mmCIF file of all heavy atoms in Angstrom:
data_model
loop_
_atom_site.group_PDB
_atom_site.id
_atom_site.type_symbol
_atom_site.label_atom_id
_atom_site.label_comp_id
_atom_site.label_asym_id
_atom_site.label_seq_id
_atom_site.Cartn_x
_atom_site.Cartn_y
_atom_site.Cartn_z
ATOM 1 N N LYS A 1 -79.717 43.644 -8.101
ATOM 2 C CA LYS A 1 -80.826 42.768 -7.672
ATOM 3 C C LYS A 1 -82.105 43.006 -8.537
ATOM 4 O O LYS A 1 -82.788 42.019 -8.823
ATOM 5 C CB LYS A 1 -81.195 43.227 -6.170
ATOM 6 C CG LYS A 1 -82.182 42.032 -5.604
ATOM 7 C CD LYS A 1 -82.210 42.214 -4.117
ATOM 8 C CE LYS A 1 -82.903 41.126 -3.479
ATOM 9 N NZ LYS A 1 -82.970 41.206 -2.014
ATOM 10 N N ILE A 2 -82.300 44.115 -9.165
ATOM 11 C CA ILE A 2 -83.473 44.288 -10.002
ATOM 12 C C ILE A 2 -83.094 44.526 -11.486
ATOM 13 O O ILE A 2 -84.040 44.602 -12.306
ATOM 14 C CB ILE A 2 -84.289 45.583 -9.547
ATOM 15 C CG1 ILE A 2 -83.380 46.885 -9.679
ATOM 16 C CG2 ILE A 2 -84.710 45.423 -8.197
ATOM 17 C CD1 ILE A 2 -84.149 48.102 -9.349
ATOM 18 N N GLY A 3 -81.861 44.417 -11.826
ATOM 19 C CA GLY A 3 -81.449 44.400 -13.270
ATOM 20 C C GLY A 3 -81.302 45.757 -13.902
ATOM 21 O O GLY A 3 -81.434 45.760 -15.105
ATOM 22 N N ILE A 4 -80.914 46.777 -13.156
ATOM 23 C CA ILE A 4 -80.690 48.033 -13.743
ATOM 24 C C ILE A 4 -79.391 47.955 -14.620
ATOM 25 O O ILE A 4 -78.322 47.325 -14.105
ATOM 26 C CB ILE A 4 -80.517 49.093 -12.623
ATOM 27 C CG1 ILE A 4 -81.768 49.442 -11.954
ATOM 28 C CG2 ILE A 4 -79.812 50.418 -13.115
ATOM 29 C CD1 ILE A 4 -82.750 50.260 -12.691
ATOM 30 N N ASP A 5 -79.294 48.650 -15.692
ATOM 31 C CA ASP A 5 -78.154 48.599 -16.640
ATOM 32 C C ASP A 5 -76.938 49.381 -16.119
ATOM 33 O O ASP A 5 -75.874 48.905 -16.204
ATOM 34 C CB ASP A 5 -78.543 49.158 -17.996
ATOM 35 C CG ASP A 5 -79.582 48.268 -18.725
ATOM 36 O OD1 ASP A 5 -79.491 46.980 -18.576
ATOM 37 O OD2 ASP A 5 -80.553 48.730 -19.322
ATOM 38 N N ARG A 6 -77.218 50.586 -15.647
ATOM 39 C CA ARG A 6 -76.123 51.495 -15.151
ATOM 40 C C ARG A 6 -76.443 52.150 -13.888
ATOM 41 O O ARG A 6 -77.728 52.374 -13.541
ATOM 42 C CB ARG A 6 -75.877 52.523 -16.267
ATOM 43 C CG ARG A 6 -74.884 52.132 -17.375
ATOM 44 C CD ARG A 6 -74.449 53.340 -18.214
ATOM 45 N NE ARG A 6 -75.486 53.897 -18.948
ATOM 46 C CZ ARG A 6 -75.586 55.167 -19.330
ATOM 47 N NH1 ARG A 6 -74.733 56.019 -18.768
ATOM 48 N NH2 ARG A 6 -76.492 55.568 -20.114
ATOM 49 N N VAL A 7 -75.419 52.561 -13.035
ATOM 50 C CA VAL A 7 -75.683 53.223 -11.759
ATOM 51 C C VAL A 7 -74.755 54.467 -11.659
ATOM 52 O O VAL A 7 -73.507 54.473 -11.996
ATOM 53 C CB VAL A 7 -75.342 52.307 -10.638
ATOM 54 C CG1 VAL A 7 -75.479 53.023 -9.297
ATOM 55 C CG2 VAL A 7 -76.158 51.062 -10.787
ATOM 56 N N TYR A 8 -75.372 55.513 -11.230
ATOM 57 C CA TYR A 8 -74.643 56.794 -10.859
ATOM 58 C C TYR A 8 -74.992 56.947 -9.395
ATOM 59 O O TYR A 8 -76.072 57.183 -9.095
ATOM 60 C CB TYR A 8 -74.964 58.022 -11.588
ATOM 61 C CG TYR A 8 -74.578 57.895 -13.189
ATOM 62 C CD1 TYR A 8 -75.512 57.563 -14.084
ATOM 63 C CD2 TYR A 8 -73.313 58.192 -13.598
ATOM 64 C CE1 TYR A 8 -75.216 57.431 -15.446
ATOM 65 C CE2 TYR A 8 -72.962 58.157 -14.930
ATOM 66 C CZ TYR A 8 -73.858 57.696 -15.770
ATOM 67 O OH TYR A 8 -73.603 57.667 -17.142
ATOM 68 N N ALA A 9 -74.043 57.052 -8.529
ATOM 69 C CA ALA A 9 -74.290 57.071 -7.085
ATOM 70 C C ALA A 9 -73.562 58.189 -6.411
ATOM 71 O O ALA A 9 -72.700 58.887 -6.979
ATOM 72 C CB ALA A 9 -73.965 55.712 -6.384
ATOM 73 N N GLU A 10 -73.967 58.473 -5.127
ATOM 74 C CA GLU A 10 -73.399 59.573 -4.267
ATOM 75 C C GLU A 10 -73.454 60.903 -5.047
ATOM 76 O O GLU A 10 -72.431 61.624 -5.024
ATOM 77 C CB GLU A 10 -72.002 59.102 -3.996
ATOM 78 C CG GLU A 10 -71.980 57.798 -3.091
ATOM 79 C CD GLU A 10 -70.608 57.552 -2.589
ATOM 80 O OE1 GLU A 10 -69.775 58.452 -2.609
ATOM 81 O OE2 GLU A 10 -70.378 56.352 -2.227
ATOM 82 N N LEU A 11 -74.640 61.251 -5.592
ATOM 83 C CA LEU A 11 -74.783 62.460 -6.366
ATOM 84 C C LEU A 11 -75.573 63.543 -5.541
ATOM 85 O O LEU A 11 -76.526 63.132 -4.886
ATOM 86 C CB LEU A 11 -75.331 62.242 -7.777
ATOM 87 C CG LEU A 11 -74.698 61.208 -8.644
ATOM 88 C CD1 LEU A 11 -75.631 61.000 -9.869
ATOM 89 C CD2 LEU A 11 -73.367 61.751 -9.033
ATOM 90 N N LEU A 12 -75.322 64.772 -5.838
ATOM 91 C CA LEU A 12 -76.154 65.811 -5.395
ATOM 92 C C LEU A 12 -77.148 66.154 -6.441
ATOM 93 O O LEU A 12 -77.018 65.694 -7.557
ATOM 94 C CB LEU A 12 -75.243 67.088 -5.061
ATOM 95 C CG LEU A 12 -74.247 66.948 -3.969
ATOM 96 C CD1 LEU A 12 -73.374 68.235 -3.873
ATOM 97 C CD2 LEU A 12 -74.877 66.720 -2.541
ATOM 98 N N PRO A 13 -78.192 66.881 -6.088
ATOM 99 C CA PRO A 13 -79.169 67.160 -7.110
ATOM 100 C C PRO A 13 -78.609 67.788 -8.349
ATOM 101 O O PRO A 13 -79.038 67.535 -9.540
ATOM 102 C CB PRO A 13 -80.159 68.155 -6.398
ATOM 103 C CG PRO A 13 -80.055 67.787 -5.009
ATOM 104 C CD PRO A 13 -78.637 67.388 -4.785
ATOM 105 N N GLU A 14 -77.626 68.772 -8.220
ATOM 106 C CA GLU A 14 -77.022 69.486 -9.350
ATOM 107 C C GLU A 14 -76.240 68.448 -10.195
ATOM 108 O O GLU A 14 -76.032 68.584 -11.435
ATOM 109 C CB GLU A 14 -76.203 70.588 -8.992
ATOM 110 C CG GLU A 14 -75.107 70.302 -7.981
ATOM 111 C CD GLU A 14 -75.598 70.595 -6.544
ATOM 112 O OE1 GLU A 14 -76.707 70.412 -6.232
ATOM 113 O OE2 GLU A 14 -74.736 71.120 -5.784
ATOM 114 N N ASP A 15 -75.657 67.387 -9.524
ATOM 115 C CA ASP A 15 -74.903 66.318 -10.284
ATOM 116 C C ASP A 15 -75.827 65.447 -11.180
ATOM 117 O O ASP A 15 -75.484 65.175 -12.314
ATOM 118 C CB ASP A 15 -74.229 65.423 -9.352
ATOM 119 C CG ASP A 15 -73.153 66.052 -8.433
ATOM 120 O OD1 ASP A 15 -72.579 67.123 -8.992
ATOM 121 O OD2 ASP A 15 -72.964 65.744 -7.322
ATOM 122 N N LYS A 16 -76.990 65.147 -10.677
ATOM 123 C CA LYS A 16 -77.999 64.483 -11.429
ATOM 124 C C LYS A 16 -78.394 65.268 -12.653
ATOM 125 O O LYS A 16 -78.499 64.741 -13.745
ATOM 126 C CB LYS A 16 -79.289 64.206 -10.502
ATOM 127 C CG LYS A 16 -79.091 63.308 -9.365
ATOM 128 C CD LYS A 16 -80.390 63.023 -8.667
ATOM 129 C CE LYS A 16 -80.183 62.199 -7.398
ATOM 130 N NZ LYS A 16 -81.530 61.960 -6.707
ATOM 131 N N LEU A 17 -78.592 66.515 -12.422
ATOM 132 C CA LEU A 17 -79.100 67.433 -13.497
ATOM 133 C C LEU A 17 -78.012 67.501 -14.602
ATOM 134 O O LEU A 17 -78.401 67.487 -15.817
ATOM 135 C CB LEU A 17 -79.345 68.868 -12.898
ATOM 136 C CG LEU A 17 -80.004 69.856 -13.791
ATOM 137 C CD1 LEU A 17 -81.300 69.256 -14.390
ATOM 138 C CD2 LEU A 17 -80.113 71.185 -13.147
ATOM 139 N N ASN A 18 -76.821 67.633 -14.066
ATOM 140 C CA ASN A 18 -75.705 67.663 -15.189
ATOM 141 C C ASN A 18 -75.573 66.465 -16.063
ATOM 142 O O ASN A 18 -75.322 66.499 -17.255
ATOM 143 C CB ASN A 18 -74.312 67.922 -14.461
ATOM 144 C CG ASN A 18 -74.233 69.303 -13.909
ATOM 145 O OD1 ASN A 18 -74.870 70.223 -14.339
ATOM 146 N ND2 ASN A 18 -73.375 69.451 -12.823
ATOM 147 N N ILE A 19 -75.744 65.337 -15.373
ATOM 148 C CA ILE A 19 -75.753 64.061 -16.161
ATOM 149 C C ILE A 19 -76.868 63.952 -17.237
ATOM 150 O O ILE A 19 -76.659 63.716 -18.351
ATOM 151 C CB ILE A 19 -75.875 62.858 -15.203
ATOM 152 C CG1 ILE A 19 -74.590 62.647 -14.358
ATOM 153 C CG2 ILE A 19 -76.122 61.522 -15.930
ATOM 154 C CD1 ILE A 19 -74.617 61.669 -13.289
ATOM 155 N N LEU A 20 -78.132 64.417 -16.695
ATOM 156 C CA LEU A 20 -79.258 64.388 -17.707
ATOM 157 C C LEU A 20 -79.028 65.366 -18.860
ATOM 158 O O LEU A 20 -79.307 65.105 -20.107
ATOM 159 C CB LEU A 20 -80.559 64.690 -16.958
ATOM 160 C CG LEU A 20 -81.033 63.730 -15.842
ATOM 161 C CD1 LEU A 20 -82.380 64.192 -15.378
ATOM 162 C CD2 LEU A 20 -80.990 62.343 -16.440
ATOM 163 N N ASN A 21 -78.480 66.576 -18.545
ATOM 164 C CA ASN A 21 -78.214 67.575 -19.618
ATOM 165 C C ASN A 21 -77.291 67.157 -20.637
ATOM 166 O O ASN A 21 -77.385 67.506 -21.763
ATOM 167 C CB ASN A 21 -77.920 68.931 -18.912
ATOM 168 C CG ASN A 21 -79.002 69.647 -18.242
ATOM 169 O OD1 ASN A 21 -80.195 69.361 -18.596
ATOM 170 N ND2 ASN A 21 -78.725 70.357 -17.199
ATOM 171 N N LYS A 22 -76.205 66.416 -20.166
ATOM 172 C CA LYS A 22 -75.358 65.891 -21.081
ATOM 173 C C LYS A 22 -75.952 64.965 -22.183
ATOM 174 O O LYS A 22 -75.673 64.891 -23.264
ATOM 175 C CB LYS A 22 -74.061 65.198 -20.383
ATOM 176 C CG LYS A 22 -73.104 66.121 -19.656
ATOM 177 C CD LYS A 22 -72.103 65.346 -18.832
ATOM 178 C CE LYS A 22 -71.241 66.295 -18.162
ATOM 179 N NZ LYS A 22 -70.161 65.584 -17.356
ATOM 180 N N GLU A 23 -76.810 64.099 -21.597
ATOM 181 C CA GLU A 23 -77.582 63.124 -22.429
ATOM 182 C C GLU A 23 -78.475 63.908 -23.469
ATOM 183 O O GLU A 23 -78.513 63.595 -24.572
ATOM 184 C CB GLU A 23 -78.461 62.232 -21.556
ATOM 185 C CG GLU A 23 -77.672 61.201 -20.684
ATOM 186 C CD GLU A 23 -77.249 59.982 -21.448
ATOM 187 O OE1 GLU A 23 -77.174 60.085 -22.728
ATOM 188 O OE2 GLU A 23 -76.999 59.042 -20.743
ATOM 189 N N ILE A 24 -79.099 64.936 -22.942
ATOM 190 C CA ILE A 24 -80.071 65.729 -23.792
ATOM 191 C C ILE A 24 -79.260 66.462 -24.791
ATOM 192 O O ILE A 24 -79.682 66.559 -26.037
ATOM 193 C CB ILE A 24 -80.894 66.661 -22.956
ATOM 194 C CG1 ILE A 24 -81.832 65.855 -22.022
ATOM 195 C CG2 ILE A 24 -81.756 67.685 -23.774
ATOM 196 C CD1 ILE A 24 -82.510 66.627 -20.946
ATOM 197 N N ALA A 25 -78.005 66.961 -24.518
ATOM 198 C CA ALA A 25 -77.236 67.595 -25.500
ATOM 199 C C ALA A 25 -76.834 66.688 -26.638
ATOM 200 O O ALA A 25 -76.526 67.166 -27.740
ATOM 201 C CB ALA A 25 -75.970 68.144 -24.829
ATOM 202 N N LEU A 26 -76.852 65.369 -26.412
ATOM 203 C CA LEU A 26 -76.463 64.290 -27.414
ATOM 204 C C LEU A 26 -77.661 63.986 -28.207
ATOM 205 O O LEU A 26 -77.759 62.909 -28.885
ATOM 206 C CB LEU A 26 -75.783 63.187 -26.757
ATOM 207 C CG LEU A 26 -74.401 63.436 -26.132
ATOM 208 C CD1 LEU A 26 -73.950 62.211 -25.379
ATOM 209 C CD2 LEU A 26 -73.390 63.873 -27.147
ATOM 210 N N ASN A 27 -78.803 64.673 -28.016
ATOM 211 C CA ASN A 27 -80.106 64.360 -28.686
ATOM 212 C C ASN A 27 -80.725 63.143 -28.160
ATOM 213 O O ASN A 27 -81.520 62.438 -28.989
ATOM 214 C CB ASN A 27 -79.959 64.479 -30.157
ATOM 215 C CG ASN A 27 -79.645 65.887 -30.658
ATOM 216 O OD1 ASN A 27 -80.250 66.729 -30.245
ATOM 217 N ND2 ASN A 27 -78.756 65.901 -31.675
#
């Protein structure tokens, strides 16, 4: 509805953190 490019759903706080850390590891 609002035009978001990608979605990660049904995550726990630690799951969110892991996704972000993977991105940061790729600079």
Side-chain angles (χ1 to χ4, degrees):
K1 195 162 185 178
I2 63 178
I4 291 282
D5 296 318
R6 277 193 285 149
V7 179
Y8 296 99
E10 299 183 21
L11 302 176
L12 296 173
E14 55 265 35
D15 298 327
K16 294 180 181 181
L17 187 59
N18 290 335
I19 290 170
L20 296 188
N21 285 336
K22 285 178 183 176
E23 293 277 20
I24 293 168
L26 296 172
N27 293 319

